[in-house]
Amino acid sequence: MTLRQQFSLLTGLLVIILLAGNLLVMVMNGRDYFQQQLNARAYDAATSLALSMSQVAADDEVQLTRLMDVLFDRGFFAEIELQRVDNEPIYRRSRDTAGDLPAPRWFMHWVGLDMIPAEADVTRQWQRLGTVRIISHSDFAYRDLWAMVRAELIWFAWVLVVSLVLLQILLGWLFRPLARVERQALAICERQWQVQTEIPRPRELRRMVLAMNKMVQKLQSIFTEQSAMTEQLRAESFNDSVSGLLNRRGFDQRLQHILQRGEEHSGVLMLLQLQNLAELNQAQGRQSVDDVLHLLGAELLRCLQEFPAAFSGRRSGSDFALYIPCADQAQGDTLLQQMYSQLVTSVLSRRKDLVFHLGGVFLQGIQDDPVQALSRADAALRQAQRSPEGRAQLYRSDNSSGVQEWTAGEWRELLTGVLEAGALQLQFLPVISNRNRRLLQFEVFSRIVWQGETLSAARFWPMVEQHQLAARYDATIVAQVLALLEQHAPQESIRYCINISPASVLDEQFHQRLSELFRAAPQLATHIALEVPESSLAGIESALARLAIQLKPFGVTLGVDQVGTGSMAFAYLQRLPLDYIRIDGSFNRGLHQAQDHRFFIQSMVQIAHNLDLLILGEGIEEADDVAVLRQTGVDGMSGYFFSRPLAALADAHAWQLPADDV
């Protein structure tokens, strides 16, 4: 029962009790008054009748009867009786009618008027002739009392209704601050820090609202301080303060995770070196060099915005490194030349007397040695420095891997053919709950099966985005997952996490397509989770918020993947309606040997749990890392330590964590 209902009930009971007491007193007083008046009237009538009969001869029965009839016919008396001394009594009595009662029987029984007989002696001279006995009729009293009660009840009912209406208006005005406080509290749960500007006048409500505002400001301050501390830790540990890019450690860590995580990778590693930075330092000073490095870092970040999974870093004073996912060596060479052209026409223009070279190596496979990869990229850089005709060179080797390469047109034909043929193959990687060691989620991976060859997303996805097919591919994956769930009923509370492209988030037709898919399968939609990489949030935040609002009625959850790799402040965690975040695997690899990684994850766990978000870790391959990650308090984890991706959904549903790993 709500507080308003309790107030209404108590007020209604109070009014009813007051009115009932007032009615009871009125009825009792009315009864006593009518009873007194009726008895007094009977006494007066008896006295008057006795006096009249005293003037009539005792044997004149007709005259005596006539006097009694005149008084009785008025209807005010129930009984008139003359008891003569020497003869039979003469009496007149009213009859009780069966219908048309003056009042309900229960009322008459409850009121119970007590009519006392009035007596008077009939005398002549000094001789007593008889006794007159009169009882007043109570019908008039009952009728008048009942009319009074009915009128009072009607009046009381109107008073009660009007009182309750006015009470509701008053409570609505008084509870308005409480409703705002409730919305304020719910907004805190939704990671929104609302401060009430309308302060109520009543002292108690005013104190409550001011206390809530103070609490909101305090919570926001705590979250801001905690986020700033975590961001500072990330910046100091993994970012270069001058260029704004990753530092050597941060770049090598992410590169190692990509090349050695056991999943196929495909991309181009580039090394950039400024030749005359030392001369610029001597000629113009350190500040000028820092300005150049800052501008170069900003330009590299801008150039990599169209590649969500790309990253760059400063390895030393004049050496920079970049990694951009690509489909094959031909695309890698194209990206290398485009990067050189972009830089030479912007921040590293020849007019600024800055000479630079680019060297790159195309990397593709399951496992690659980061040291060897950097060595080959460095060899290409040296080759570019010695080459008189160009300053960007891709590493060439005699190794013939047998990997087929296609032109841009062939890639487009292949990808559209896959969409039309439905040749997408899905794999499912279990995510284990840290609390009860049971299944929490499945990460969904996609593969292309074409002409007997299986292509991983690392190979074909860069071309999907280049040919603007990301929205179609993401929608196809969602539709295929829903179709599989129709064939194999999903387990209760298990989510299937699908990573969608930033380009899809920006596509309004993709939003409509998702709504159509989920509207057709509303029960299965609650098992779907969509996630985007953190590095792409800067350009899609508003579109992602619109998509989350659109999908909320279907029960679809939203998450952020690769947390820790982006450059955005963690304030987005409270702005977006997220349900979970997933720490990038580069922070989990070698966690037992990296104290700063552990502190970063623990800080993220505190931030996520303060915002009621699940926090998950991925890329776990070593038992030591599992033990340390569990101690940080994450809600779930995944990686090849627990299982490799499962090719069939039926196998995924039947999968169980080995007893040794529980």
Side-chain angles (χ1 to χ4, degrees):
M1 184 179 294
T2 64
L3 187 60
R4 175 178 296 206
Q5 291 173 338
Q6 292 179 10
F7 269 115
S8 301
L9 179 60
L10 291 176
T11 303
L13 288 176
L14 180 61
V15 172
I16 290 175
I17 291 173
L18 291 175
L19 296 181
N22 185 27
L23 182 63
L24 180 62
V25 172
M26 181 202 71
V27 171
M28 293 299 103
N29 290 337
R31 181 193 66 178
D32 295 341
Y33 173 78
F34 278 110
Q35 186 172 281
Q36 181 181 3
Q37 292 296 317
L38 290 175
N39 290 332
R41 176 187 292 178
Y43 180 78
D44 293 342
T47 302
S48 175
L49 182 59
L51 183 61
S52 299
M53 287 182 173
S54 298
Q55 307 301 321
V56 180
D59 57 350
D60 192 353
E61 186 173 343
V62 174
Q63 186 63 27
L64 293 175
T65 301
R66 183 177 299 171
L67 290 174
M68 292 176 61
D69 289 341
V70 170
L71 188 62
F72 185 78
D73 290 343
R74 295 180 181 179
F76 296 120
F77 305 101
E79 181 179 336
I80 301 177
E81 180 181 353
L82 173 61
Q83 183 68 43
R84 292 188 295 182
V85 178
D86 54 350
N87 292 324
E88 292 291 330
I90 302 174
Y91 57 87
R92 295 290 185 268
R93 295 178 181 174
S94 62
R95 296 180 179 178
D96 295 332
T97 57
D100 297 332
L101 293 175
R105 294 185 184 275
W106 63 266
F107 179 77
M108 297 171 62
H109 178 74
W110 173 57
V111 173
L113 293 174
D114 186 14
M115 297 291 99
I116 300 176
E119 297 181 352
D121 292 334
V122 180
T123 61
R124 175 174 293 177
Q125 296 179 356
W126 297 104
Q127 184 180 3
R128 180 175 174 273
L129 301 179
T131 300
V132 174
R133 183 174 179 271
I134 298 178
I135 300 176
S136 293
H137 206 303
S138 60
D139 283 3
F140 300 101
Y142 284 127
R143 184 178 296 110
D144 292 345
L145 275 175
W146 177 242
M148 291 172 56
V149 169
R150 283 191 305 173
E152 288 292 327
L153 287 175
I154 295 174
W155 167 247
F156 289 167
W158 276 107
V159 170
L160 180 62
V161 171
V162 172
S163 300
L164 291 178
V165 171
L166 293 177
L167 177 64
Q168 294 302 316
I169 297 174
L170 178 62
L171 291 178
W173 177 74
L174 289 176
F175 286 170
R176 194 175 302 166
L178 293 179
R180 291 198 296 267
V181 168
E182 180 184 5
R183 291 194 298 269
Q184 189 178 26
L186 293 175
I188 294 175
C189 297
E190 297 295 331
R191 303 180 289 279
Q192 300 175 6
W193 313 111
Q194 294 183 0
V195 176
Q196 293 194 45
T197 56
E198 298 182 15
I199 308 300
R201 294 182 179 179
R203 181 181 302 175
E204 293 80 2
L205 296 177
R206 181 184 184 89
R207 289 178 178 176
M208 178 188 64
V209 171
L210 292 176
M212 281 294 298
N213 285 344
K214 186 175 181 180
M215 184 187 70
V216 168
Q217 294 169 353
K218 186 65 176 179
L219 289 176
Q220 187 177 17
S221 174
I222 292 174
F223 175 81
T224 302
E225 292 175 0
Q226 193 173 22
S227 299
M229 181 182 66
T230 306
E231 292 165 12
Q232 183 179 1
L233 171 66
R234 179 177 63 174
E236 292 177 352
S237 300
F238 310 109
N239 287 8
D240 177 64
S241 59
V242 178
S243 64
L245 306 176
L246 293 172
N247 57 22
R248 184 188 187 98
R249 181 190 178 196
F251 183 87
D252 290 351
Q253 174 183 293
R254 291 187 60 180
L255 181 64
Q256 181 183 11
H257 174 66
I258 290 176
L259 300 185
Q260 296 186 334
R261 62 184 173 180
E263 298 178 13
E264 187 173 5
H265 56 268
S266 181
V268 57
L269 173 63
M270 305 180 191
L271 292 182
L272 182 151
Q273 187 177 71
L274 295 175
Q275 291 295 107
N276 54 344
L277 199 62
E279 292 80 354
L280 181 64
N281 187 16
Q282 293 179 357
Q284 300 184 17
R286 179 178 178 180
Q287 185 60 46
S288 298
V289 173
D290 289 346
D291 292 341
V292 171
L293 295 177
H294 178 74
L295 292 174
L296 177 57
E299 182 64 19
L300 290 177
L301 290 176
R302 190 190 67 79
C303 293
L304 297 183
Q305 283 181 352
E306 57 180 306
F307 308 102
F311 56 94
S312 60
R314 182 187 178 196
R315 295 182 55 80
S316 64
S318 60
D319 293 339
F320 293 80
L322 303 88
Y323 180 84
I324 304 177
C326 61
D328 50 32
Q329 185 167 310
Q331 188 188 17
D333 194 7
T334 302
L335 290 174
L336 183 69
Q337 301 302 328
Q338 288 178 351
M339 183 61 65
Y340 178 82
S341 299
Q342 183 66 34
L343 294 176
V344 80
T345 56
S346 58
V347 66
L348 298 181
S349 171
R350 290 187 178 90
R351 291 177 298 176
K352 298 182 180 180
D353 296 327
L354 292 172
V355 179
F356 74 100
H357 298 84
L358 269 177
V361 59
F362 175 68
L363 304 172
Q364 188 177 83
I366 303 298
Q367 291 281 347
D368 262 318
D369 183 2
V371 175
Q372 186 178 1
L374 288 168
S375 177
R376 285 182 286 174
D378 185 68
L381 177 63
R382 304 307 169 200
Q383 187 177 359
Q385 291 172 344
R386 294 191 300 267
S387 176
E389 64 275 2
R391 295 178 180 175
Q393 185 70 40
L394 188 67
Y395 179 80
R396 305 290 180 179
S397 68
D398 297 332
N399 180 25
S400 298
S401 61
V403 177
Q404 186 176 1
E405 295 187 2
W406 293 281
T407 64
E410 291 173 335
W411 267 113
R412 182 174 184 83
E413 183 180 355
L414 182 150
L415 295 174
T416 54
V418 167
L419 287 175
E420 295 173 357
L424 271 175
Q425 183 184 80
L426 301 182
Q427 295 182 350
F428 305 89
L429 182 67
V431 179
I432 311 302
S433 172
N434 192 23
R435 182 172 58 89
N436 53 21
R437 310 295 193 265
R438 294 186 178 180
L439 271 175
L440 185 64
Q441 296 177 343
F442 282 109
E443 292 186 70
V444 180
F445 299 146
S446 60
R447 303 286 187 267
I448 282 179
V449 180
W450 190 254
Q451 296 180 354
E453 184 179 2
T454 300
L455 306 179
S456 68
R459 289 187 58 187
F460 71 81
W461 198 258
M463 299 307 298
V464 168
E465 294 182 333
Q466 179 175 327
H467 291 289
Q468 300 179 355
L469 297 173
R472 292 180 60 186
Y473 261 87
D474 286 338
T476 301
I477 293 173
V478 173
Q480 192 166 337
V481 170
L482 292 174
L484 288 174
L485 292 180
E486 288 183 357
Q487 300 174 8
H488 306 278
Q491 302 179 31
E492 186 178 359
S493 73
I494 300 297
R495 298 277 181 172
Y496 299 81
C497 305
I498 303 171
N499 202 304
I500 58 176
S501 170
S504 300
V505 177
L506 296 173
D507 192 331
E508 294 297 332
Q509 293 183 352
F510 176 74
H511 295 194
Q512 297 176 3
R513 177 58 178 159
L514 284 184
S515 297
E516 294 173 359
L517 290 173
F518 295 139
R519 194 176 294 112
Q523 296 180 347
L524 299 178
T526 57
H527 293 275
I528 300 298
L530 303 178
E531 57 186 45
V532 295
E534 186 190 55
S535 57
S536 64
L537 284 178
I540 66 170
E541 183 175 347
S542 59
L544 186 62
R546 293 197 306 272
L547 178 61
I549 294 174
Q550 185 174 343
L551 298 183
K552 184 177 181 180
F554 301 107
V556 178
T557 56
L558 190 67
V560 174
D561 191 19
Q562 301 174 11
V563 171
T565 62
S567 58
M568 283 188 66
F570 292 123
Y572 72 83
L573 294 175
Q574 63 175 332
R575 293 195 301 267
L576 291 173
L578 302 175
D579 297 280
Y580 68 93
I581 59 176
R582 201 184 306 276
I583 300 294
D584 186 68
S586 60
F587 292 95
N588 302 320
R589 178 181 293 274
L591 180 61
H592 64 285
Q593 297 176 340
Q595 185 65 27
D596 53 349
H597 285 196
R598 179 177 181 177
F599 184 75
F600 171 76
I601 295 176
Q602 287 176 333
S603 300
M604 290 304 302
V605 167
Q606 293 178 1
I607 293 175
H609 287 174
N610 288 338
L611 298 175
D612 291 333
L613 297 176
L614 288 178
I615 181 166
L616 312 171
E618 64 177 359
I620 311 299
E621 297 184 2
E622 299 182 21
D624 293 338
D625 293 339
V626 172
V628 175
L629 189 59
R630 282 174 175 167
Q631 294 174 3
T632 62
V634 297
D635 299 297
M637 57 189 74
S638 62
Y640 288 178
F641 175 81
F642 301 104
S643 172
R644 299 189 70 85
L646 304 170
L649 186 58
D651 296 337
H653 286 174
W655 182 87
Q656 292 183 353
L657 185 66
D660 295 340
D661 297 333
V662 177

